Amino acid sequence: MSEQLKFIVEQLNREPFKKNFNLITFDSLEPMQLLQTLNDVLAEIDPKQAIDIREEMPEQTAKRMFTLLGMLKYKPPGGMSEVSSFRQGLVAGSKPVVHPILHWLLQRIPELKKRAYLARFLVKLEVPAEFLQDDIIAETYHQYEELVEGFKNIHKECEQLKSSGFSTAEIRRDIVAMEEEKDQLIKRVERLRKRVEAVSNHQRMLELARQLRVEKEREESLAHQKQEQKNQLFQAEQRLQRSQIQLKDLQQAAADEKPESLMKRLEEDIKFNSYMVSEKLPKELENMRKVVQYLQKVASEPAMGQAELRELEDKIREINTEINHLIEKKMMRNDPMDDKLSLFRQQAAIIVHKKETKVEELQEAREELAAVERELNMKSSQARERGGAELIRGDEFKRYVAKMRGKSSTYKKKRQEIAELKAEYGVLQRTEEILRERHTAGHQQLQSLEAQRGISGYSDTQEELERVSAIKSELDEMKGRTLDDMSEMVKKLNSVIAQKKTALSPLIKDLRALRQEHAELAPEFEQKKAQYDTCAAGLESNRSKLEQEVRTLREETAQEESRYHHINCMREITESQMQRAAEQSKINQSMDLQVRRTALREKYIANTAEQESLGKVLRQQVKQVRENQEPNMRQMKMWKDLETLLECKKQCYLKAQSQAPIGHVIQDVGKDMLVL
C-alpha cells in the first residue's frame, strides 16, 4: 500500500498536475479534495471532465465518473460482486476505493487518452427500435454508422502513417521542390504564350492542337476498349471451348457406361452430399458463425493495451489450471460404470473422427480430381489449338492399347527384318566396293584403248549425253503434272464460288426485305420517340414538384418531432427536480438522525462549519505574523548592518596589506606580520 501511495504522490507532483503533495498531506486529504484530485486526473485523460465538483451535484459527479471509468474499462478490485460497495465508496470519496483508481489511471495515462479520444467517436448512440422505424431517422442512423466506420479506417491509416517513419522535414522539402517546379512551369508557359501570340492565327492553331490532343486521347481510349473487347472475346472463346470439351466428355462417358454403374455412382454421390448437408456443413457453418461473432465482438471493442492483454493471459492460465484440476479429480474417482460408458464413448468418437477424416479425404480427392480434369481440359484445348490430336478415353483407350500391342509385335518383326536387311546391306556394300574397283579398272583399260586408237573421251561424252536426255525427260513430265494441277484447282475454285453464291442468294433476298421494313418503321420510331420524350419531361417535372413537397413536409415533421422531444425532456427534467426537492424536504423533516445526515442541507452545514474553523486558524496565523513583523524587521536590519561593517573591515585590511612596504611590520589585533 505504501508503494502505491508513493507512486501516486510522485506522479501527481510531476507535469501536468504539479500538486506538491507528500505522503502525509496526500493521506490527510478530505473526501471532497480526494475526489477533486481524481477528477483532475480524469480531466487530463478527457478534457470534458475539467469541472469543479463543488459546483456539481454528487449524483451527477458519481454518474459521470462511473461512465468514464466504464468506458476506460476499469475493473473494481473485488469484481462484479462488490459493485454496489464500490459505487458507495466512490460517492463518499473513500480512500480504499479512490487510491486504486488513481494508481490504475496514472500507470497508463497515454493509453487511456487514446482510448477516451476514440470512445468519443466509436461508442455508438443507443436509438430505440421504434424510432428506427422512421425512414429519416433510419437513414440518418445509417449515415452515422458509415461515418463511424470511415473514422475507424482513417484512424488506422493515420496510425500507420505515424508508424511508417515518414519525416515531416522530407515532406516539407518535397513540397518546396514541387512549388519551385510549379513556378518554373508557370514561367515556361508564360514564355511560350508570349511566343505564340506573336504568330498569326495562333488561336486557330491552339484550337487545332487542343482538338488533336482530344482526338489522340480518344484514340488511346478506343484502342484500350478494343484491346479489352479482344480479351473478353478470347476469354469467351476459351469458355466456349471448355464447355464444348466438357459436353463431349460427358456424352462419351454417358455412351460408354452402363445404367447400373451410373445408378451406383449417383447413389454414392447422394449419400455423400446428404452427409455433407446434414452433418458436416452445418457444424462448419456454426463454427464459422461463432468465429465471425467473436471477431465482430473483438472489432467493436476499443484497442487493448499490454496490461489488459497480460490480465487476459493470466486469466486464461488460471482457467486452464482449474480445468486440469477438474480432469484430475474426475480421473481420481474412477467410477466403473463411467469407465464402461467411456469405452463406448471413445469408440464412438473414434468412429466419428474416422468418418470425418474419410469425408475430408474424399472431398480433397474430388477437388484434386476436378483440378486435374480442369488442367487436362486446358492442356487438350491448347493441344487442339496447336493442331494436335484429341485425347482418347474409356473403351477407345482399351482398343488403342490392343492396337498398340499388335503394332508392338509388328514392330518387333520389322526390327528383326531390318537387322537381316542391315546384314544383307553389309554384304551388298562389300559387293559394290568390289564391283566399283572392277569398274575403275575396266574404265582405265578403256581409256588406254581409246588413247591407243586416237578417240580419247568418247565414253565420257556418251555418258554425259545420256544424263542430259534423262534430265530433259524428267522436266517435261513435271511441266505436264503442273498444268494438270492448275486446271484442277481452277475447277475446284469455280465450284466453290458457285456454291457460295447459291447459299448467299436467299440471305440477300431476306436482307433486302429487312432493309425495306427498316425504312418503313424508321419514321414511326422517330414519332414514338418524340412522344416518349415529351411525356417523360412532363412526368419528370411533376416528380420534382412532388419531391419538393415531400421534402418540405419531412422537414416540418422533423422540426415538430424535435420540438416534441425537447418539451418531453424539459418535462422530465422538471419532474426529476421536483421529485428531488420533495425527497430533500422529506429527509429534512425526518426525525431519524441517520437519515438527516444524508441530506444536502446537513452536508452543506458541515462543510460551512469546517470552513469557518479553517478561517479561524488562518486568522490566528495572520495575527501572529502581524505581531512579530516589527521585531523581525529590526533584527533583519541589524544583521544587514553587521554584514556591511564586516565587509568594510575586510576591504580596509586588504588595502593596507597591499600598500605596506617591504620589511615593514604590520601590527594587527592579536598578531604581528613582517612583509618581505
Side-chain angles (χ1 to χ4, degrees):
M1 193 68 181
S2 61
E3 295 296 329
Q4 188 183 57
L5 288 177
K6 286 180 182 178
F7 177 77
I8 294 171
V9 171
E10 182 181 356
Q11 294 296 323
L12 290 176
N13 289 336
R14 292 180 180 177
E15 291 285 346
F17 303 107
K18 292 185 179 181
K19 293 293 184 181
N20 295 326
F21 285 144
N22 54 34
L23 292 175
I24 298 173
T25 56
F26 180 73
D27 192 55
S28 62
L29 289 176
E30 296 295 329
M32 188 65 67
Q33 297 173 347
L34 192 61
L35 285 175
Q36 184 63 50
T37 304
L38 175 60
N39 191 78
D40 294 340
V41 176
L42 294 175
E44 178 62 25
I45 295 171
D46 186 4
K48 291 183 178 180
Q49 309 296 324
I51 299 173
D52 190 353
I53 61 173
R54 292 176 296 181
E55 300 175 356
E56 190 179 26
M57 300 299 292
E59 291 82 1
Q60 295 179 356
T61 303
K63 183 178 179 181
R64 180 170 52 81
M65 290 184 177
F66 288 150
T67 304
L68 184 58
L69 290 174
M71 186 174 64
L72 298 177
K73 293 187 177 181
Y74 174 74
K75 297 178 181 178
M80 298 302 294
S81 59
E82 302 293 335
V83 173
S84 59
S85 60
F86 171 75
R87 290 181 178 178
Q88 293 175 2
L90 184 60
V91 171
S94 177
K95 294 178 182 178
V97 175
V98 178
H99 286 176
I101 297 175
L102 286 171
H103 184 261
W104 185 80
L105 293 174
L106 293 171
Q107 278 182 333
R108 43 181 72 82
I109 283 181
E111 179 185 349
L112 296 177
K113 278 185 177 180
K114 183 178 179 181
R115 186 175 295 174
Y117 169 74
L118 294 176
R120 285 166 48 193
F121 304 100
L122 298 181
V123 175
K124 293 185 178 180
L125 299 174
E126 296 294 334
V127 180
E130 57 270 15
F131 289 164
L132 290 175
Q133 300 298 325
D134 189 0
D135 295 337
I136 299 175
I137 297 176
E139 184 179 357
T140 305
Y141 190 73
H142 180 65
Q143 293 177 359
Y144 165 71
E145 291 179 343
E146 290 180 352
L147 290 174
V148 170
E149 295 297 327
F151 173 77
K152 287 182 182 179
N153 297 329
I154 292 171
H155 181 71
K156 288 179 182 177
E157 292 177 0
C158 180
E159 292 295 327
Q160 291 175 358
L161 289 174
K162 287 182 180 178
S163 60
S164 62
F166 284 117
S167 175
T168 55
E170 294 179 359
I171 295 173
R172 288 195 183 97
R173 286 196 295 270
D174 293 339
I175 292 171
V176 171
M178 291 169 68
E179 288 179 351
E180 291 177 355
E181 291 178 359
K182 179 183 175 182
D183 295 336
Q184 292 177 1
L185 290 173
I186 291 171
K187 292 178 181 178
R188 188 179 298 174
V189 169
E190 290 294 331
R191 288 197 300 270
L192 291 173
R193 185 176 294 165
K194 291 178 181 177
R195 190 183 300 172
V196 169
E197 287 177 355
V199 180
S200 60
N201 297 328
H202 66 278
Q203 293 292 338
R204 177 63 178 170
M205 294 174 68
L206 289 174
E207 183 66 24
L208 292 174
R210 188 183 65 79
Q211 291 179 1
L212 177 62
R213 179 177 55 80
V214 172
E215 292 299 327
K216 284 185 177 180
E217 292 177 354
R218 186 166 173 270
E219 183 182 1
E220 291 177 358
S221 64
L222 290 174
H224 183 66
Q225 291 177 3
K226 183 180 178 181
Q227 186 64 31
E228 288 181 352
Q229 290 177 359
K230 283 184 178 179
N231 295 332
Q232 293 175 0
L233 178 61
F234 178 73
Q235 293 173 1
E237 290 177 352
Q238 292 290 329
R239 288 196 297 270
L240 178 61
Q241 290 178 0
R242 288 196 294 269
S243 301
Q244 289 176 352
I245 293 167
Q246 291 177 0
L247 178 61
K248 187 175 180 180
D249 294 338
L250 291 174
Q251 288 175 354
Q252 290 179 356
D256 294 337
E257 293 185 359
K258 297 181 180 179
E260 291 81 4
S261 61
L262 287 173
M263 290 297 295
K264 187 175 180 181
R265 192 173 67 181
L266 288 173
E267 288 176 357
E268 292 177 356
D269 292 340
I270 289 169
K271 289 180 181 179
F272 176 74
N273 292 330
S274 61
Y275 171 75
M276 292 290 292
V277 171
S278 60
E279 296 183 14
K280 186 173 178 59
L281 291 178
K283 291 181 182 178
E284 293 180 356
L285 184 60
E286 186 65 27
N287 293 331
M288 292 300 292
R289 283 176 179 170
K290 289 180 181 178
V291 171
V292 170
Q293 289 177 359
Y294 177 73
L295 293 175
Q296 287 178 352
K297 183 178 179 182
V298 171
S300 62
E301 293 181 355
M304 300 177 69
Q306 294 294 330
E308 295 178 353
L309 291 174
R310 286 195 294 270
E311 291 178 1
L312 290 175
E313 290 176 355
D314 296 336
K315 288 183 180 179
I316 291 169
R317 284 195 290 270
E318 292 175 359
I319 292 170
N320 288 330
T321 53
E322 290 179 1
I323 291 170
N324 293 329
H325 289 315
L326 292 173
I327 292 171
E328 291 176 358
K329 288 180 181 178
K330 184 178 180 181
M331 294 176 65
M332 292 291 290
R333 287 186 299 181
N334 286 331
D335 192 355
M337 192 65 185
D338 289 341
D339 291 340
K340 293 179 181 179
L341 294 175
S342 64
L343 179 62
F344 291 114
R345 291 194 190 99
Q346 289 177 359
Q347 291 178 355
I350 291 169
I351 291 169
V352 171
H353 181 67
K354 286 183 178 179
K355 188 176 179 182
E356 291 178 354
T357 305
K358 294 299 180 184
V359 169
E360 290 178 357
E361 290 178 358
L362 178 59
Q363 187 70 17
E364 290 177 358
R366 288 192 171 187
E367 291 176 357
E368 186 176 358
L369 177 61
V372 172
E373 287 180 351
R374 286 195 298 270
E375 186 176 359
L376 178 62
N377 294 329
M378 185 175 65
K379 296 293 184 183
S380 62
S381 63
Q382 290 178 359
R384 194 178 295 107
E385 288 175 0
R386 294 176 182 176
E390 294 186 359
L391 297 176
I392 55 176
R393 58 185 67 187
D395 295 338
E396 188 178 355
F397 181 73
K398 293 178 181 177
R399 290 192 295 271
Y400 177 73
V401 170
K403 186 178 178 182
M404 290 302 294
R405 286 175 182 170
K407 288 186 177 182
S408 175
S409 62
T410 307
Y411 167 72
K412 290 178 181 177
K413 293 178 182 178
K414 297 296 182 183
R415 188 172 59 180
Q416 187 176 0
E417 292 177 0
I418 289 170
E420 294 175 355
L421 291 172
K422 282 183 179 179
E424 188 177 356
Y425 172 73
V427 175
L428 293 172
Q429 192 174 9
R430 179 58 182 164
T431 305
E432 182 186 4
E433 289 177 359
I434 293 169
L435 293 173
R436 188 177 291 113
E437 290 176 356
R438 290 179 181 178
H439 174 71
T440 305
H443 187 67
Q444 289 177 358
Q445 188 178 1
L446 179 63
Q447 286 179 354
S448 63
L449 289 172
E450 288 176 355
Q452 291 175 4
R453 300 292 177 88
I455 52 173
S456 299
Y458 176 77
S459 60
D460 294 335
T461 305
Q462 186 68 25
E463 289 178 0
E464 185 69 22
L465 288 172
E466 291 177 357
R467 188 175 64 81
V468 169
S469 63
I471 292 171
K472 182 177 179 299
S473 62
E474 289 178 0
L475 289 173
D476 293 338
E477 187 178 357
M478 288 177 63
K479 287 180 180 178
R481 285 200 301 269
T482 305
L483 290 172
D484 294 336
D485 293 338
M486 290 177 65
S487 62
E488 188 177 355
M489 187 180 295
V490 169
K491 290 179 182 179
K492 288 182 180 178
L493 289 173
N494 290 328
S495 63
V496 170
I497 291 168
Q499 291 176 1
K500 296 294 183 182
K501 284 183 178 180
T502 54
L504 289 173
S505 59
L507 296 176
I508 292 170
K509 292 179 181 178
D510 295 339
L511 180 61
R512 288 173 182 172
L514 290 173
R515 283 180 178 175
Q516 186 176 1
E517 186 178 357
H518 175 266
E520 293 175 355
L521 293 176
E524 186 178 356
F525 169 74
E526 295 295 334
Q527 183 180 1
K528 297 294 184 182
K529 184 180 179 182
Q531 293 177 0
Y532 169 77
D533 292 337
T534 54
C535 183
L539 293 174
E540 183 67 24
S541 62
N542 293 332
R543 186 177 66 83
S544 61
K545 290 180 182 178
L546 292 174
E547 285 181 353
Q548 184 65 28
E549 293 178 0
V550 169
R551 195 178 298 110
T552 306
L553 293 173
R554 283 184 176 177
E555 290 176 356
E556 293 177 358
T557 306
Q559 291 176 0
E560 294 297 329
E561 285 183 355
S562 62
R563 184 169 171 272
Y564 166 73
H565 291 309
H566 178 70
I567 292 171
N568 278 340
C569 292
M570 294 300 295
R571 180 179 60 80
E572 291 177 359
I573 292 169
T574 306
E575 289 178 356
S576 63
Q577 290 177 353
M578 292 176 66
Q579 185 178 0
R580 186 175 177 185
E583 290 176 357
Q584 291 296 325
S585 63
K586 288 181 182 179
I587 292 171
N588 291 331
Q589 293 174 5
S590 177
M591 300 301 292
D592 191 358
L593 295 176
Q594 189 68 24
V595 175
R596 292 182 64 183
R597 285 174 186 171
T598 61
L600 294 174
R601 182 165 172 259
E602 296 295 332
K603 291 182 181 179
Y604 289 149
I605 291 172
N607 291 333
T608 304
E610 182 181 356
Q611 295 297 325
E612 287 179 355
S613 62
L614 182 62
K616 288 180 181 179
V617 172
L618 293 174
R619 283 195 293 273
Q620 289 177 1
Q621 292 178 359
V622 170
K623 185 177 179 182
Q624 291 177 2
V625 169
R626 286 178 180 174
E627 290 176 355
N628 296 327
Q629 183 181 7
E630 292 182 0
N632 290 335
M633 293 296 292
R634 286 196 299 272
Q635 188 176 5
M636 186 174 68
K637 185 177 180 183
M638 291 171 65
W639 278 108
K640 286 184 178 180
D641 294 340
L642 178 62
E643 183 181 2
T644 305
L645 181 61
L646 291 173
E647 183 67 26
C648 182
K649 283 186 175 184
K650 178 182 175 182
Q651 296 293 333
C652 293
Y653 171 72
L654 293 173
K655 185 176 181 182
Q657 188 177 6
S658 62
Q659 294 178 359
I662 297 174
H664 181 68
V665 177
I666 299 173
Q667 293 183 352
D668 200 353
V669 180
K671 56 185 177 180
D672 296 334
M673 290 185 295
L674 176 63
V675 181
L676 298 178

